Amino acid sequence: MIRFTGFFLLILSLLSCKNSSKEKLENIENTNSNTTTVELFSMQLASKSLTPYLFATDEDVYVSWQETENDSVFKLKYAKLGNTSFSTPETISQGSNWFVNWADYPVISGNDNLFLAHTLQKSATGTYTYDVMLNRKVKDSSWSQSFKLHKDNVEAEHGFVSMLPMPDQEFFVTWLDGRHTVNVSEDKRAMTIRGAFVTSEGEIYNSVELDDKVCDCCQTTAALTANGPVVIYRDRSDAEVRDMSIVRFVNGTWTSPKTLYNDNWKINGCPVNGPRAASIENTLVVAWFAAPNEASQVNVIFSEDAGEHFLKPIKVDLGNPNGRVDVDLINEQTAIVSWLEDASIYARTVSKDGKLGKVVTISDTSEKRFSGFPQLEIFKDRVFVAWTKVVNEKGSKIQVGQLPLNTFLN
């Protein structure tokens, strides 16, 4: 399985020859950029913490992360974010046989009364042989024992999970599934994407294949529209074009995969750079990274009908992005998108009509893999952000902060 080819590294090296985004911001007269101070939350962490993930319910905002003292036992923890501090962190699960990776990170979801989280557990000695293990929690009770999401029992890769809380105390979960990458003839080997529903009791049903050939290791994303859940992911054609596709759950049936936008990015390897999506009713917004013709870009696109049709994409970066995007909606007209570019995390508003807001610098960071994927979540009048700060070659600390929403609107 090709994960990050020399060809893609060559693309990045060529792009790095351009003027840096920081220089571009400094040289543009009357630039609309803005450097602000993110108010960081303070908390006690283990010697190594990584892979933060943010999510919000109707009542609260939460962050999850992995941590370890010695790389022999990892723990998945989470905490509720208050006005200026964390709640006491709680351990969801722990294990010594986990697959811990900068890009394939655990996620958590919930609806104030019920929570679901996942970790990745090694199933064999192969580098990428691991399973998706779920843990659920009913409010005011303990987290359940881990149980497996998929039932194929194939020693292969299963990961890159997205979760959505659904009505009737259920969840929708989607993931990349490698059951057809082993023990089959070479011409039939392909990573697939699957989806399933999980009840409040942990029953898994309607587990189906959504696409029979997708990019091997880009994150998935999902959003709940008024019409039902949608899944967006990096697809993979026989000609190695790896553009974004969408499938929609309509009237109890999944639609066939449809290309979201024709970037026509042909690359003989996985760029490890997935999309992110958010929704309000039937307004859907998607952000993603692509580099067709060696021109890297972060695009945002809106749909007004739950993903059946899309408006024109809007380029939001400063000219030299690395991707690692996130996006959330302020309202049905405007979103905030974040991305990594020239070792900094940037964010700005983008409106359905193509209007771009000022660029806000969230933090300096590292372009190394270990710095992971920055997270963004809008909650009421605040914008929460999280990322991994690389301390040294072996150490890291998650950073969680907040900014007033008006920072992006003034």
Side-chain angles (χ1 to χ4, degrees):
M1 183 184 303
I2 299 175
R3 296 192 157 260
F4 203 86
T5 65
F7 172 73
F8 188 67
L9 291 174
L10 175 62
I11 288 179
L12 293 183
S13 68
L14 290 172
L15 293 172
S16 67
C17 295
K18 299 179 181 179
N19 291 333
S20 73
S21 300
K22 291 186 179 67
E23 292 173 341
K24 183 175 181 180
L25 286 174
E26 292 171 356
N27 293 333
I28 295 177
E29 185 178 1
N30 297 322
T31 179
N32 64 348
S33 68
N34 179 49
T35 300
T36 189
T37 300
V38 176
E39 182 183 4
L40 293 177
F41 290 91
S42 177
M43 64 180 300
Q44 296 295 317
L45 298 167
S47 60
K48 182 178 180 180
S49 59
L50 66 162
T51 64
Y53 182 80
L54 291 170
F55 86 100
T57 66
D58 290 338
E59 298 178 1
D60 295 296
V61 182
Y62 296 84
V63 61
S64 66
W65 69 95
Q66 295 177 102
E67 67 176 42
T68 183
E69 295 289 354
N70 52 21
D71 281 352
S72 62
V73 175
F74 275 85
K75 297 179 181 180
L76 177 64
K77 292 190 172 185
Y78 83 116
K80 181 168 63 176
L81 303 180
N83 289 329
T84 59
S85 63
F86 284 80
S87 66
T88 301
E90 183 177 343
T91 298
I92 297 172
S93 62
Q94 66 180 55
S96 59
N97 62 339
W98 285 7
F99 177 80
V100 178
N101 181 265
W102 69 288
D104 195 355
Y105 44 82
V107 301
I108 181 173
S109 186
N111 59 10
D112 292 315
N113 295 311
L114 184 67
F115 296 90
L116 190 69
H118 93 279
T119 54
L120 303 172
Q121 181 176 293
K122 297 285 291 182
S123 61
T125 57
T127 303
Y128 300 109
T129 50
Y130 55 93
D131 296 328
V132 177
M133 306 300 294
L134 300 177
N135 298 88
R136 62 183 179 86
K137 173 185 170 70
V138 178
K139 188 175 183 179
D140 298 327
S141 66
S142 300
W143 284 90
S144 72
Q145 294 294 315
S146 298
F147 58 102
K148 192 185 296 187
L149 170 62
H150 43 91
K151 307 300 181 182
D152 55 291
N153 294 320
V154 176
E155 294 178 354
E157 179 178 357
H158 307 80
F160 297 96
V161 173
S162 295
M163 295 180 182
L164 295 174
M166 299 287 293
D168 301 322
Q169 299 296 300
E170 294 188 344
F171 290 88
F172 169 71
V173 185
T174 187
W175 72 99
L176 296 189
D177 192 296
R179 67 183 67 184
H180 297 319
T181 62
V182 297
N183 303 324
V184 296
S185 60
E186 185 173 353
D187 62 318
K188 294 183 179 180
R189 291 178 188 169
M191 183 66 73
T192 65
I193 187 168
R194 298 184 68 89
F197 293 88
V198 183
T199 71
S200 60
E201 300 300 320
E203 177 189 355
I204 299 165
Y205 71 100
N206 282 2
S207 179
V208 298
E209 186 177 272
L210 305 177
D211 194 327
D212 63 3
K213 185 177 183 179
V214 303
C215 200
D216 297 74
C217 48
C218 282
Q219 294 81 16
T220 63
T221 190
L224 182 60
T225 72
N227 290 347
V230 298
V231 177
I232 301 99
Y233 55 97
R234 192 178 297 281
D235 216 335
R236 180 184 179 186
S237 73
D238 292 339
E240 299 295 2
V241 173
R242 303 187 185 226
D243 291 344
M244 296 298 152
S245 286
I246 182 171
V247 293
R248 300 175 295 118
F249 194 65
V250 180
N251 297 324
T253 302
W254 287 100
T255 63
S256 298
K258 180 181 179 181
T259 301
L260 186 149
Y261 176 75
N262 289 310
D263 288 308
N264 293 316
W265 187 17
K266 186 174 182 178
I267 173 174
N268 294 316
C270 178
V272 197
N273 230 317
R276 292 298 293 267
S279 61
I280 297 176
E281 294 297 326
N282 279 335
T283 295
L284 174 68
V285 65
V286 182
W288 77 97
F289 172 84
N293 302 315
E294 301 182 7
S296 65
Q297 54 199 254
V298 170
N299 290 320
V300 171
I301 199 166
F302 286 85
S303 170
E304 299 174 317
D305 55 9
E308 186 173 358
H309 304 94
F310 284 90
L311 305 178
K312 292 182 179 179
I314 305 159
K315 185 175 180 293
V316 300
D317 62 82
L318 297 171
N320 192 31
N322 302 91
R324 306 193 200 180
V325 303
D326 203 355
V327 70
D328 201 2
L329 283 164
I330 299 174
N331 51 47
E332 292 180 273
Q333 304 298 320
T334 305
I336 296 180
V337 57
S338 65
W339 71 96
L340 180 66
E341 184 164 355
D342 284 337
S344 289
I345 304 167
Y346 296 115
R348 74 191 317 175
T349 58
V350 54
S351 297
K352 192 180 295 186
D353 61 6
K355 182 180 178 180
L356 295 176
K358 63 190 176 186
V359 177
V360 175
T361 303
I362 302 298
S363 176
D364 290 337
T365 186
S366 170
E367 295 178 351
K368 294 182 178 180
R369 297 188 185 189
F370 206 61
S371 65
F373 285 72
Q375 304 287 309
L376 178 147
E377 189 78 23
I378 301 171
F379 184 74
K380 297 182 179 179
D381 61 350
R382 292 183 290 168
V383 178
F384 292 85
V385 289
W387 65 96
T388 301
K389 179 180 179 180
V390 179
V391 179
N392 52 48
E393 291 298 322
K394 295 184 179 180
S396 62
K397 296 284 186 180
I398 68 165
Q399 304 280 289
V400 184
Q402 62 178 331
L403 305 85
L405 181 58
N406 282 340
T407 303
F408 297 88
L409 303 177
N410 292 335

